DNA sequence: TTCCTTTTTTGACAATTGTCAAAAGAAAGC
DNA sequence: GCTTTCTTTTGACAATTGTCAAAAAAGGAA
């Protein structure tokens, strides 16, 4: 749980009371490789913090293909955001790509904590904002950069992805076919 | 200011005290068509609510082209999000596309209100979350849909954009060239 | 109205990326 | 070690989209 506390403190420090209440509400989750944390069609009731391992978010496209649009690594917050926020079934699956250790908190427990600890709600607001900025950057890249540029950007900003994730999933994440990504890599 | 109050209440009701404090902190801004609300290289110090009119967010790409990635209409919240949150200069310009009326609040004033009114911070957290979901949907479309599909989706979800915005800017927003969009339109 | 400016469309061609199929390479199990 | 399975690369070709240039259409101002 130290990793979570350290991660939190980089966003916004919270009171000891808030941290203690939060700690009590957390459940430890250990999953082997290729297990599912969230399945499509279900309401996602938990927000997770990933202490160790890695995961991907994907959905099954109409044509039957898996579409990976998201990876999670150590110290990332993980949930099926749309489902968790809207309380409706989501279309996304979240799957471990390695043996993983997470800490989870339920939607209800989190909202109760918000009522009791204003600083905890502030923390979450600030984290949300930072994740929004990241998403915005990704959208910009997707909208205005070529496949090659997106790959080179990934090499710079997240080289660890290349070492931990199969190429086909990275290609999907970049919005290109696996063959195109393979050709881009051979021409650098 | 009624429009703002109504808009807020659809996200999360706030106390009368919070609303009164917020009202006092707001400044009315009226801008003619083609005026700038935010300029690149500046720190954006205000969050706006658009009561009447429409705006676009864009930046100047390396090759000299304007890249439009965002439109705002009535009842939208408007800011240079990265700059407003991180307190650093942004690369984006925000420009009116029609005569517009907005209400603005400064970063400092908003954060002071957060300290005094927990429910106001909750409101902003919830609004942020809804905007995050919208952004996520846009990223999905950009990543996994063809130009034609993205245009048809825009026709369904935001037909008003077509009637108020020049084609070149819509094309940029969809991540395609104006010529391609023109051809897509002629083939429907 | 007429002129001038901006916006949209069209044509020709080039560049990028996708698809299908097969081969090569790497990893995991026995 | 040897299979078996999964992952990555390569080839050939098709489809999509971009670029440049010019024409057509639409909108504003005098």
């Amino acid at each position: 749980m130290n990793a979570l506390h350290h991660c939190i403190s980089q966003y916004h420090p919270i009171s000891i009371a808030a941290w203690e209440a939060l700690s009590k509400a957390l459940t430890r989750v250990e999953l082997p490789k290729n297990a599912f944390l969230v399945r499509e069609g279900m309401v996602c009731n938990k927000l997770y913090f990933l202490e160790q391992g890695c995961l991907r978010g994907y959905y099954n496209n109409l044509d039957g293909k898996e579409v990976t649009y998201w990876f999670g690594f150590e110290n990332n917050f993980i949930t099926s955001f749309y489902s968790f926020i809207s309380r409706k079934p989501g279309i996304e699956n979240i799957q471990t790509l390695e043996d993983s250790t997470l800490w989870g908190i339920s939607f209800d427990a989190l909202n109760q904590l918000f009522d009791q600890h204003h600083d905890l709600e502030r923390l979450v607001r600030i984290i949300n904002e930072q994740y929004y900025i990241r998403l915005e950057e990704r959208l910009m890249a997707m909208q205005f950069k070529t496949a090659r540029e997106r790959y080179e950007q990934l090499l710079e900003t997240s080289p660890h992805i290349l070492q931990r994730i199969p190429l086909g999933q990275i290609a999907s994440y970049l919005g290109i076919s696996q063959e195109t990504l393979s050709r881009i890599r051979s021409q650098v």
Side-chain angles (χ1 to χ4, degrees), chain A residues 136-182:
Chain A
E136 209 173 45
E137 277 172 12
R138 245 190 98 195
L139 178 62
M140 295 299 94
M142 201 56 67
Q143 198 162 356
F144 305 114
K145 295 193 173 177
T146 64
R148 156 163 277 116
E149 288 169 334
R150 297 201 298 274
Y151 173 70
E152 286 168 353
Q153 181 176 315
L154 189 74
L155 270 186
E156 281 178 23
T157 61
S158 316
H160 57 285
I161 290 187
L162 276 294
Q163 284 141 25
R164 294 172 75 174
I165 312 275
L167 205 68
Q169 291 176 16
I170 295 174
S172 184
Y173 174 81
L174 290 173
I176 57 180
S177 70
Q178 174 168 326
E179 294 90 333
T180 296
L181 179 54
S182 177

Side-chain angles (χ1 to χ4, degrees), chain A residues 10-67:
Chain A
Q10 293 191 313
Y11 286 102
H12 179 71
I14 59 175
S15 65
I16 295 176
W19 170 248
E20 283 177 355
L22 176 61
S23 308
K24 280 181 195 152
L26 291 170
T27 311
R28 186 183 173 92
V29 180
E30 298 216 35
L31 288 175
K33 182 175 174 174
N34 288 327
F36 285 87
L37 187 66
V38 174
R39 288 221 186 239
E40 62 185 291
M42 314 292 284
V43 174
C44 177
N45 274 313
K46 290 206 167 188
L47 171 69
Y48 297 94
F49 173 79
L50 178 54
E51 186 175 291
Q52 180 61 49
C54 90
L55 299 90
R56 67 166 179 144
Y58 74 93
Y59 66 90
N60 292 297
N61 212 351
L62 297 176
D63 58 10
K65 285 188 184 163
E66 287 185 358
V67 164

Side-chain angles (χ1 to χ4, degrees), chain A residues 4-14 123:
Chain A
L4 173 57
H5 190 262
H6 182 252
C7 179
I8 281 176
S9 68
Q10 293 191 313
Y11 286 102
H12 179 71
I14 59 175
L123 168 72

Side-chain angles (χ1 to χ4, degrees), chain A residues 90-110:
Chain A
I91 60 167
E92 85 184 285
N93 301 278
I94 300 181
Q95 182 186 31
T96 53
L97 300 177
E98 302 172 358
D99 297 349
S100 299
T101 304
L102 305 100
W103 294 93
I105 185 169
S106 75
F107 181 87
D108 291 338
L110 186 63

